[in-house]
Each structure stands twice: as structure tokens, then as C-alpha cells.
Amino acid sequence: MEKLENMITKAEQLPDINQLLLTLEGQFPNYKVFTFGSKPLKSIIVQKSGIIGAQITLRNNEIMVDACCPNIFVSGLLGALSAIFPPYINFEMMITDFLKSKYN
């Protein structure tokens, strides 16, 4: 996963990864939502399309949201240029705003 941006939401009480997965699936039913990675920092990917997504990682009292390209091949082609494309930034902000309102 190519990381493009990084937003951090602080929360006093974080959900566990399974609760967060269910919350995101309920909030974004038209997007693909799945876990990615392994312990201790398992992440959740919210995939809007083959090239636009967000990676959410729980760490300490933080929820980190990173815009990403869920397709590894396309990620390699787009590289760091994707960080300036509004669709990535807008999608990341939408996910971050939801998490802030839910957990702050």
C-alpha cells in the first residue's frame, strides 16, 4: 500500500479493530472495507475504488488515517504524485472527519 497522506485523530478510548471494522462497514456500505496486515498494527482499508482508498491504523490512543492506493500495480505507477490529487485528499478527509466525530 502506497501511503500518500497521514491524518491522526486522538481519542481517549479507542475501539478494538473488530468494532472499528463493523463501524466503518456500517458507515460506508458502498465501499469495500477489510483488514490488512498483521499484529500488532493490523489496519483497516476502506476502498472507494481500485485506485482510491484509506488505511486506518490504531496505535496507542491514536487513529491514523493514510490515503492510499489499494492496487499495488497502480500504486507503483502513481507513486508520490497521487498525494496532490484531490480525490485522495478528499477521501482521506471524509474518513478522518467521520472518525473524529465518532471517537472524539
Side-chain angles (χ1 to χ4, degrees):
M1 300 286 158
E2 174 90 17
K3 292 183 181 179
L4 305 172
E5 281 292 318
N6 188 354
M7 299 280 178
I8 297 176
T9 299
K10 298 224 182 241
E12 290 186 24
Q13 176 118 9
L14 292 178
D16 70 25
I17 196 85
N18 294 322
Q19 288 174 314
L20 184 56
L21 180 71
L22 292 173
T23 298
L24 290 167
E25 287 174 333
Q27 181 66 26
F28 304 104
N30 296 324
Y31 301 145
K32 189 174 179 181
V33 180
F34 56 94
T35 57
F36 174 78
S38 61
K39 291 183 179 182
L41 292 178
K42 185 180 273 190
S43 296
I44 296 172
I45 302 294
V46 179
Q47 183 176 347
K48 181 177 182 178
S49 69
I51 60 169
I52 297 175
Q55 180 176 344
I56 297 101
T57 306
L58 302 174
R59 185 178 69 188
N60 301 324
N61 66 333
E62 299 175 335
I63 302 173
M64 297 182 349
V65 181
D66 298 309
C68 69
C69 180
N71 183 307
I72 293 173
F73 176 74
V74 174
S75 175
L77 292 176
L78 294 176
L81 294 177
S82 301
I84 63 172
F85 293 144
Y88 288 95
I89 296 165
N90 294 341
F91 189 65
E92 179 185 52
M93 287 303 300
M94 181 181 73
I95 300 292
T96 301
D97 289 345
F98 167 72
L99 292 172
K100 282 182 180 180
S101 69
K102 179 79 175 169
Y103 296 107
N104 276 348

